[in-house]
């Protein structure tokens, strides 16, 4: 952009045609499904976004843009002066509500914030019109460092709050002061996890259309179709039953698309105003500038030990960088609050205290991304444990074994009141150590023949899964989170599952069909799963936080069991048998021990619907084969372990990952191949967080690497084959004994990677342990040279 100073403290920005539509780096990974939606008279939308991180809007000039012959409409906050206020219900601590305007009115708070919206016949034309808009800003101080933003004299992002801190809380269990006073060793560290993005293969996209019958249809890449429908109704002021949300097949979400952004409301509002379909496709630069980031926390951790490695006390201060607002609807508490509630991890330590602070900076909002909260919190705890192990002359596995919750002690209530349902942590760790040959690998010399340093690291994690009401409450965000599903069998014996989940890469259509088929006793080929469409599914909270197999699967088990029981009663009447003597397998109903006495499911289904002379009387059994069931399960905690082998070039700081072993206990597995896919995907993203990914802002709040040329992601050259193994400890409290598996590696693999680096540097003075992510070449050299490394800015 060209800029010219117009007065002291005020800068005028005038657009220059960028032709973003022709830039392959920007278009990379655009949501393709929106191009498949063909509606007559479709218009396209482009956004005029702030180039300043913190500034007052002094003058917005639309004159040249409005004169463009193809300009259909330009809207600003004067036209759509609306927004959302995020207040998590029942959150403990001191919380101030933060309001996010859909369109900035008098002030911008991060680069990429929407100031104006252009509607035109095509995206190309809309972007040209955007470049004709100019704005004058009065620049305000921008905060990149969260601790600077917390200072009493810092310029306020939201004046009505009186501070840039909008949440604080403290908690203590046991006698923490006594534990630290009597400890043999106390390790205190500052740990900083870098800012990253989920970076799904497809960006966001929205199409909205108001039809002749007043039905508003919204096609969106959201992970939560039903909640989006509810929030649209509330914020647009229209009846919910007139809204249909469709989430088509999209390339990934990873929690990032489990939020509601300004564009989610602007496009439907435009469709209602203009009475024509409108479309927006996010480009990659927009995605990195304005779609929620994640993982950035600054943490101060103290752990008290006995000389034998027993953990006797733990103190944590977790400062969350929320960005300029509180992400909707989960809030900016989602990193630090969740992380602190999981701070005890797999360990029996009961003397635990923590402090949680969440503050705003001039960056895009921080939101949920695979392993939310736990990725940062676990990393901080584990790096201090590794430092403690080195100072005590122990291996990290010695610390693990000494402090693990034992199998016979489940269910176990942690120091933060999380109720771990089941597990065999020692067996999982032993399995990982055996497959990786950890102990023998640790004995090998660090130095290789070509002057590189060999390192092996191991880690362990506990994962809160199946985010229903109980898991959310135990993670510090009490709320109501449940699901429903409908299972119905038609007269031909075929089965339709109507789900409130949304499959965007997890294989849910396969796994949920398996659950229905196994429960009913029919072939999986005879089951169809409908999801992602509020017109054909059943109300559910969506797919995120390792909940779909447990909660979605649980609703299907319950509903399918109802249908199966009714089917057996009808079959018993027709076959003149006792229902208890019948079983169903592969679509056949037969008398146990007498397979020659059988009928097909299809035959009984036909009789149910069409043969009142053969079926039981309607007063006895209603002749329908359908059930809708609800499920809000108890919390279930998965666990696992990772081992990572690296080679380090001590001259350049470059790390090559040579081998990865992953072991998971997610209870009974519906489909082990799908679980392996989740494990491998999580490992890949965790290596990205641990080794490569960092969204860096400068002192003026400008994002320095808003493209894949500069924001580095792992690829096939970065990651070796991932060896997967399983230990099965069924959950005693969930339907099917399932636990979730979606977050898994994002709680642990980056820890194993950092432990491998610490192992490679074992011969260096200073007990070197990284306290920052990512650990790129610069961070490695800073560690080797004993430079101060933690920074979350």
């Amino acid at each position: 952009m060209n800029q010219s100073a117009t007065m002291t403290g005020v800068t005028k920005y005038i657009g220059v045609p960028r032709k973003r539509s022709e830039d392959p780096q920007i278009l990379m990974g655009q949501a393709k499904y929106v191009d498949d939606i063909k509606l007559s008279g479709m218009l396209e939308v482009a956004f005029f976004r702030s180039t300043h991180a913190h500034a007052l809007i002094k003058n917005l000039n639309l004159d040249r843009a409005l004169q463009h012959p193809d300009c259909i409409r330009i809207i600003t906050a004067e036209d759509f002066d609306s927004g959302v206020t995020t207040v998590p219900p029942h959150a403990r601590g001191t919380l101030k509500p933060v309001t996010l305007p859909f369109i900035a009115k008098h002030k911008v708070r991060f680069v990429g914030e929407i100031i104006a919206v252009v509607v035109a016949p095509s995206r190309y034309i809309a972007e040209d019109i955007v470049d004709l808009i100019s704005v004058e800003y009065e620049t305000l101080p921008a905060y990149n460092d969260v601790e600077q933003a917390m200072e009493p004299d810092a310029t306020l992002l939201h004046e009505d709050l009186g501070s840039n801190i909008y949440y604080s809380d403290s908690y203590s269990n046991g006698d923490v002061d006594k534990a630290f006073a009597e400890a043999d060793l106390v390790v205190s560290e500052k740990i900083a996890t870098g800012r990253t993005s989920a970076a799904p293969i497809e960006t966001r996209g929205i199409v909205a259309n108001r039809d002749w019958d007043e039905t508003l249809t919204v096609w969106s890449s959201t992970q939560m179709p039903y909640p989006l429908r509810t929030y649209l109704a509330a914020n647009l002021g229209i009846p919910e039953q007139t809204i249909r949300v469709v989430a088509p097949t999209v390339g990934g979400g990873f929690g990032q698309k489990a939020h509601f952004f300004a564009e989610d409301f602007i496009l439907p509002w435009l469709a209602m105003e203009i009475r024509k379909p409108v479309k927006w496709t996010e480009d990659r630069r927009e995605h990195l500038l304005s779609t929620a980031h994640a993982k950035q926390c600054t943490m101060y951790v103290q752990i008290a030990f006995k000389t034998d490695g027993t953990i006797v006390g733990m103190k944590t201060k977790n400062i969350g960088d929320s960005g300029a607002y509180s992400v909707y609807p989960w809030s900016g508490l989602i990193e630090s609050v969740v992380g602190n509630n999981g701070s005890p991890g797999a360990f029996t330590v009961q003397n635990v205290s923590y402090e949680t602070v969440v503050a705003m900076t001039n960056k895009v909002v921080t939101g949920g991304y695979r392993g939310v909260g736990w990725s940062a919190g676990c990393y901080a705890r584990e790096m201090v444990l590794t430092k403690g192990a080195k100072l005590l002359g122990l291996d990290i596995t010695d610390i693990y074994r000494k402090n693990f919750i034992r199998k016979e002690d489940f269910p176990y209530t942690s120091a933060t009141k999380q109720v771990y349902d089941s597990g065999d942590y020692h067996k999982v760790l032993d399995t990982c150590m055996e497959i990786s040959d950890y102990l023998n690998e640790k004995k090998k010399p660090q130095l290789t023949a070509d002057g590189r340093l060999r390192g092996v690291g191991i880690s362990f994690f506990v994962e809160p899964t199946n985010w229903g009401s109980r898991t959310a409450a135990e993670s510090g965000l009490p709320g109501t989170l449940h699901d429903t599903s409908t299972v119905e069998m038609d007269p031909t014996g075929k089965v339709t599952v109507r789900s409130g989940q949304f499959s965007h890469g997890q294989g849910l259509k396969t796994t949920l069909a398996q659950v229905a088929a196994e429960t009913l006793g029919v072939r999986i080929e005879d089951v169809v799963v409908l999801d992602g469409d509020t017109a054909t599914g059943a109300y559910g909270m969506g797919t995120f936080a390792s909940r779909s197999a447990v909660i979605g699967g649980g609703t299907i088990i319950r509903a399918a069991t109802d249908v199966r029981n009714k089917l057996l009663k009808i079959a018993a009447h027709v076959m003149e048998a006792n229902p208890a003597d019948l079983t169903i397998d592969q679509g056949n109903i037969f008398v146990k021990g007498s397979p020659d006495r059988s009928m097909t499911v299809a035959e009984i289904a036909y009789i149910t619907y069409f043969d009142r002379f053969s079926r039981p009387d309607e007063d006895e059994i209603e002749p329908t084969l359908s059930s809708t069931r609800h499920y809000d399960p108890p919390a279930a905690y998965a666990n696992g372990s990772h081992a990572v082998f690296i080679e380090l070039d001590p001259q350049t700081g470059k790390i090559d990952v040579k081998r990865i072993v992953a072991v998971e206990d997610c209870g009974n597995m519906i489909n082990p191949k799908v679980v392996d896919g989740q494990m491998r995907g999580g490992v890949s993203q965790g290596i990205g967080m641990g080794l490569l990914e960092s969204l860096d802002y400068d002192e003026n709040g400008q994002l320095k690497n808003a493209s894949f040329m500069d924001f580095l992601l792992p690829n096939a050259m970065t990651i070796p084959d991932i060896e997967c193994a399983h230990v099965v400890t069924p959950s005693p409290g969930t339907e099917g004994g399932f636990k979730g598996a979606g977050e898994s590696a994002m709680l642990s693999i980056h820890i194993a990677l950092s432990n491998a680096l610490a192992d490679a540097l074992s011969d260096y003075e200073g007990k070197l342990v990284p306290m920052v992510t990512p650990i790129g070449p610069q961070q490695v050299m800073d560690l080797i040279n004993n430079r101060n490394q933690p920074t979350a800015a």
Side-chain angles (χ1 to χ4, degrees), residues 56-130:
L56 301 177
I57 299 172
K58 303 305 291 184
N59 180 42
L60 178 63
N61 191 331
L62 306 177
D63 293 345
R64 294 175 62 215
L66 289 169
Q67 292 169 11
H68 193 288
D70 290 317
C71 179
I72 304 295
R73 183 79 181 269
I74 298 178
I75 67 166
T76 67
E78 299 296 332
D79 306 288
F80 188 35
D81 188 10
S82 186
V84 289
T85 300
T86 306
V87 184
H90 314 299
R92 195 184 62 223
T94 302
L95 174 66
K96 300 175 183 178
V98 179
T99 298
L100 164 70
F102 296 145
I103 303 174
K105 190 171 187 179
H106 302 299
K107 184 177 184 180
V108 292
R109 297 176 175 90
F110 69 95
V111 173
E113 187 165 6
I114 296 170
I115 298 176
V117 187
V118 172
V119 184
S122 73
R123 171 179 175 167
Y124 187 94
I125 294 172
E127 289 176 348
D128 279 350
I129 295 171
V130 162

Side-chain angles (χ1 to χ4, degrees), residues 16 31 36 59 91 123 128 158 263 273 302-303 347 383 454-455 500 547 616 705 739 773:
V16 175
D36 297 330
N59 180 42
R123 171 179 175 167
D128 279 350
H158 299 260
E263 298 90 347
E273 283 288 303
Q302 295 177 279
I303 298 181
F347 309 118
M383 290 302 95
R454 184 187 293 112
R547 68 191 309 273
N705 52 339
K739 305 173 188 176
T773 67

Side-chain angles (χ1 to χ4, degrees), residues 651-666:
Q651 302 303 314
T652 65
K654 184 177 183 295
I655 294 173
D656 287 327
V657 181
K658 310 302 288 186
R659 186 185 176 200
I660 296 173
V661 175
V663 180
E664 173 97 15
D665 176 5
C666 60

Side-chain angles (χ1 to χ4, degrees), residues 223-227 482-486 497-503 508 512 529-534 536-544 547-548 551-552 555-556 629:
Q223 294 176 227
M224 305 190 298
Y226 282 95
H482 54 85
D483 273 273
T484 53
S485 288
T486 297
V497 175
R498 304 183 185 277
S499 171
Q501 309 295 310
F502 170 47
S503 181
L508 284 179
L512 296 183
V529 176
L530 301 179
D531 69 357
D533 187 340
T534 61
T536 61
Y539 201 105
M541 300 301 173
T543 294
F544 54 89
R547 68 191 309 273
S548 295
I551 304 181
T555 62
I556 292 168
R629 292 297 298 273

